[in-house]
Amino acid sequence: MKFDRFVRVAVAGLTLAVAAPLPQQAAAETLRVLAGSPSRALQVPMNRAVVVESDVPFAELSIANPGIADISSLSDRTIYVLGKEPGRTTLTILGADGNLITNVEVQVTPDVAEFRERLSQILPNEQVEVRTANDGIVLSGTVSSIAALDAALELANRYAPDRVSNLMAVGGTQQVMLRVRFAEMQRTVAKELSSSLGLGGVALGGDLGLSGGTNALANAGALASGLDGGIPAANNANGAFLFGFNAGGVEVGILLEALESRGVVRTLAEPNLTALSGQEASFLAGGEYPIPVRGSDDGGVTIEYKPFGVELNFIPTVVNDDLINIELQAAVSSIDPANGITTNGFQVDAFRRRETQTTVEMRDGESFAIAGLLSDDFRDLSGQVPWLGDVPVLGALFRSAEYERSQTELVIIITAHLVSPVRGDALALPTDRVRPPTERDLFLFGRVSSDEAPATGAAGEVARQDFSGSYGYVLD
């Protein structure tokens, strides 16, 4: 029993040993040529060698372009071909009698085997196909991002400089919608308090007179007109009180002026713009202002137009997955007549402009505050008549005080989204909810819009909503 078991085990081991595959020897890259018959093209990777074997002995070898491939004979039937530079050339084999044995077309190509190996190591999850064409490399397939495409092209240029054909496509969402929000608040407070004293006297039947005043009454022109109840023409105060009386031949006038103003300015702009990854997009909502420009040659005047309004220029680049690189230039400008100039009979207004230019990276749906400003200006001014303004109590008639404060807050926020197109009937417009009124609505009921709304589609859905939603605003 023990002997039978030993025999079975020995037979099983011998069977496994025979069935086991033998180690494969690396086959040499060779090309066999036959005398009198055309040979196929010989593919030689750059910086690698291929062996050519002839069925008859040869006596002489020549290569048309030694810069592309180098040759050497290992025996009278074996040729060693080394690829040096990508290109095509011809190997000529002659026999001992000087007759032509054959011509071999040698094609030296980039070493795509090593390139494929490096590409799979660097971009393991990308579906990139590598082929050779003439003396270059052709890349095709689909990659997930622009960054992967750039990496594949840069690596390919290492193996075939300036001989890489890019047929790859970038998959995923490659369109970016950028939302920019300009929000600015300006607050101003100004206060002013001043008093004026005027004196006038008449003697000798009007042949000799004397009049005078301080502050506003000094520029009143005639004290009598002020005492009759008029306010000086130069007055811009919100409140003024004029008190006057006669003391014999002397007229006395006291003017109290007070000014207080408050102002708030709110500026909000939200331009939205969509562009393809890597492409520049621009947006302008505003107009163009004509500016006269004098010519340098004939002295004539030409008109140039300067754009103003809400401007947006940006170049989005989808770097990897949902990471977006954005080169942005945004501005909000408006006409400012208060700071304009007049030249050669032309009135040229100035511009108020808030502008930013930057490059940032963010992911889909994220927001970034790319610019901000906090400005607080304060001005306090007190003026008086020398010495008289320092007199207690009565000195207030010879003094004036001004106070002004201006605050500005500005912030610019951007939000990026990866977007895809949709069917046209799925989009709603701000005009979908408002329809022109009928004659009955306009003349009988005084309505500026019709109550009838679209019943179906996105327009009908929007029309059933009120104006307080995210689709628009109502001006009361």
Side-chain angles (χ1 to χ4, degrees):
M1 295 296 293
K2 293 183 178 180
F3 178 77
D4 293 340
R5 186 181 301 171
F6 175 78
V7 171
R8 286 197 296 269
V9 172
V11 172
L14 180 60
T15 303
L16 293 176
V18 173
L22 296 177
Q24 295 183 356
Q25 299 296 329
E29 298 182 16
T30 60
L31 173 67
R32 185 174 297 276
V33 297
L34 303 176
S37 63
S39 62
R40 63 179 177 86
L42 176 63
Q43 303 286 341
V44 182
M46 188 172 62
N47 297 326
R48 295 182 64 181
V50 173
V51 176
V52 179
E53 294 182 349
S54 175
D55 63 335
V56 297
F58 58 82
E60 185 178 352
L61 301 174
S62 66
I63 189 76
N65 189 345
I68 295 178
D70 193 9
I71 59 174
S72 62
S73 60
L74 301 179
S75 67
D76 60 351
R77 292 175 181 265
T78 307
I79 308 168
Y80 185 84
V81 182
L82 174 65
K84 298 173 63 176
E85 292 292 337
R88 291 176 178 235
T89 186
T90 302
L91 169 63
T92 302
I93 304 176
L94 301 177
D97 55 358
N99 293 328
L100 176 67
I101 297 178
T102 186
N103 283 326
V104 180
E105 180 182 355
V106 179
Q107 298 179 0
V108 179
T109 60
D111 190 358
V112 294
E114 182 183 359
F115 172 61
R116 288 193 183 98
E117 182 181 353
R118 297 293 178 265
L119 190 63
S120 63
Q121 294 173 354
I122 297 175
L123 303 173
N125 299 323
E126 302 296 342
Q127 303 299 323
V128 181
E129 299 179 3
V130 181
R131 297 180 178 88
T132 58
N134 197 2
D135 59 347
I137 295 178
V138 178
L139 301 180
S140 61
T142 302
V143 293
S144 60
S145 64
I146 295 293
L149 185 144
D150 292 340
L153 291 177
E154 183 176 356
L155 182 60
N157 275 295
R158 295 282 185 175
Y159 291 86
D162 301 325
R163 295 187 303 275
V164 179
S165 298
N166 177 25
L167 301 181
M168 293 183 293
V170 180
T173 303
Q174 297 297 314
Q175 296 183 106
V176 180
M177 186 190 74
L178 184 66
R179 178 188 180 193
V180 182
R181 286 177 287 174
F182 294 86
E184 182 180 16
M185 287 293 298
Q186 297 180 4
R187 294 179 292 271
T188 58
V189 177
K191 297 181 180 181
E192 180 180 349
L193 178 63
S194 63
S195 60
S196 303
L197 174 66
L199 300 174
V202 180
L204 301 177
D207 294 335
L208 177 63
L210 176 65
S211 64
T214 65
N215 296 337
L217 283 182
N219 302 322
L223 183 63
S225 64
L227 296 179
D228 288 340
I231 301 299
N235 187 350
N236 59 355
N238 290 352
F241 174 74
L242 177 65
F243 173 75
F245 60 91
N246 295 331
V250 178
E251 299 176 350
V252 179
I254 300 176
L255 176 65
L256 299 178
E257 296 177 288
L259 168 65
E260 181 176 1
S261 64
R262 300 174 182 269
V264 175
V265 178
R266 176 179 182 268
T267 301
L268 177 65
E270 296 188 12
N272 295 348
L273 189 59
T274 302
L276 187 65
S277 176
Q279 301 298 317
E280 182 179 6
S282 60
F283 173 88
L284 172 63
E288 293 186 339
Y289 183 80
I291 298 178
V293 177
R294 181 179 296 277
S296 58
D297 297 334
D298 55 0
V301 177
T302 59
I303 301 298
E304 292 185 358
Y305 290 88
K306 179 179 179 62
F308 69 93
V310 180
E311 302 175 58
L312 175 61
N313 296 275
F314 82 108
I315 303 177
T317 303
V318 181
V319 180
N320 190 8
D321 294 335
D322 59 348
L323 184 63
I324 307 170
N325 178 284
I326 298 175
E327 299 180 26
L328 169 70
Q329 182 177 3
V332 172
S333 58
S334 59
I335 299 177
D336 185 11
N339 295 321
I341 61 173
T342 301
T343 174
N344 296 328
F346 293 98
Q347 175 66 32
V348 181
D349 296 327
F351 286 84
R352 296 184 66 251
R353 186 175 179 89
R354 282 80 72 202
E355 181 179 5
T356 181
Q357 182 175 356
T358 184
T359 301
V360 294
E361 281 190 352
M362 62 182 66
R363 297 193 178 276
D364 179 25
E366 293 182 342
S367 297
F368 218 129
I370 61 172
L373 171 66
L374 178 60
S375 175
D376 191 351
D377 297 331
F378 174 79
R379 185 172 68 91
D380 191 1
L381 177 63
S382 178
Q384 67 178 27
V385 177
W387 301 298
L388 297 180
D390 297 328
V391 177
V393 183
L394 293 180
L397 299 177
F398 302 92
R399 289 196 302 265
S400 63
E402 298 180 9
Y403 164 84
E404 183 177 354
R405 186 174 185 179
S406 176
Q407 294 178 317
T408 300
E409 295 182 47
L410 170 66
V411 64
I412 302 177
I413 300 175
I414 63 173
T415 305
H417 296 279
L418 293 175
V419 295
S420 299
V422 298
R423 296 181 60 87
D425 55 3
L427 298 176
L429 301 177
T431 55
D432 289 340
R433 70 178 69 217
V434 179
R435 304 187 65 182
T438 62
E439 295 182 355
R440 176 174 174 272
D441 291 333
L442 179 62
F443 295 110
L444 186 59
F445 298 102
R447 298 169 181 167
V448 295
S449 62
S450 175
D451 291 337
E452 299 179 2
T456 60
E461 178 64 24
V462 174
R464 285 188 288 272
Q465 302 176 9
D466 58 14
F467 282 98
S468 61
S470 60
Y471 288 89
Y473 306 91
V474 173
L475 302 179
D476 296 328

